[in-house]
Amino acid sequence: MPINIPILLTWLRVALIPLVVGVFYLPDLGFSTLQVMGIASTIIFIVAAVTDWFDGFLARRWNQTSAFGAFLDPVADKLMVAGALLVLVHLGRVDPIIAFVIIGREIAISALREWMAQIGASKSVAVSSIGKIKTTAQMVAIPMLLYYGVLLGIDTRFWGQVLLYIAAVLTVWSMFYYLRKAWPLIKESTAASGENNKQ
């Protein structure tokens, strides 16, 4: 495993994931109101999200990209989103179906990308513009829903819900987009496998 600043930032993001969830389950210290917990969780999530951008930027800038980093980075992202969504479902701020759609899509597309990489066609399921917009929407929505109040005149409860519904729609859209691009290669690979089994 390579050790460099981008990798360490990714590990930092992994370490912050339990804190995003854990602040809501701390013992009552007298000042740990739900609002204080929401603010703390929001700050931690934003710091983790910033490291997501920063580690990729530094890895490209310093030419420190690696296979391990390429594996760990998306895993950290998915764990962070899944952990935050689960706590938001528990708090009643996110519909369980919406959380299931977003998390289920991440699992399905991760499996698809792994399978496509095995047949040497990973570029066909590279991140699309739809996927990037979806990620942006959910990465803005989640801290809004963790905060869950009015901030600088913005009702984060309302706009967080709106953005998360947009992210859910784009989640389904992007999943079908990736599947449509991968389907011809899946059929070709399945046919080739069938021919080899006959021989």
Side-chain angles (χ1 to χ4, degrees):
M1 182 185 72
I3 298 297
N4 52 46
I5 291 177
I7 291 289
L8 291 176
L9 285 172
T10 305
W11 277 119
L12 172 62
R13 187 157 76 259
V14 173
L16 289 174
I17 294 167
L19 296 180
V20 172
V21 177
V23 294
F24 288 99
Y25 303 98
L26 292 173
D28 187 1
L29 302 176
F31 60 85
S32 300
T33 64
L34 195 58
Q35 183 180 14
V36 171
M37 293 174 182
I39 293 170
S41 184
T42 301
I43 292 171
I44 296 168
F45 187 91
I46 291 172
V47 169
V50 169
T51 68
D52 180 25
W53 176 84
F54 210 51
D55 62 13
F57 171 78
L58 291 179
R60 292 186 296 271
R61 182 74 177 269
W62 295 342
N63 195 27
Q64 292 181 343
T65 56
S66 65
F68 182 78
F71 155 76
L72 185 62
D73 186 68
V75 169
D77 295 344
K78 288 168 178 55
L79 286 174
M80 182 171 68
V81 169
L85 286 175
L86 287 175
V87 77
L88 289 171
V89 168
H90 178 72
L91 293 170
R93 300 176 184 178
V94 169
D95 190 301
I97 295 175
I98 296 297
F100 174 77
V101 166
I102 292 174
I103 295 173
R105 178 266 188 196
E106 296 298 342
I107 295 171
I109 296 303
S110 293
L112 176 65
R113 284 191 173 125
E114 182 179 351
W115 190 78
M116 296 300 284
Q118 289 178 358
I119 64 173
S122 57
K123 288 185 178 180
S124 65
V125 285
V127 177
S128 69
S129 58
I130 300 171
K132 290 178 181 178
I133 296 170
K134 180 271 301 180
T135 299
T136 301
Q138 74 184 17
M139 295 301 274
V140 175
I142 289 173
M144 281 186 162
L145 293 171
L146 289 171
Y147 183 81
Y148 214 64
V150 178
L151 180 64
L152 301 176
I154 299 171
D155 186 349
T156 66
R157 294 163 295 192
F158 172 77
W159 288 109
Q161 291 283 355
V162 169
L163 285 171
L164 200 63
Y165 275 102
I166 291 172
V169 171
L170 292 175
T171 287
V172 176
W173 185 2
S174 63
M175 182 176 69
F176 282 111
Y177 170 82
Y178 290 131
L179 288 172
R180 184 172 60 83
K181 291 200 70 176
W183 185 247
L185 294 169
I186 292 173
K187 287 176 63 178
E188 182 181 328
S189 177
T190 303
S193 177
E195 288 296 324
N196 290 333
N197 290 335
K198 289 179 182 178
Q199 294 175 1

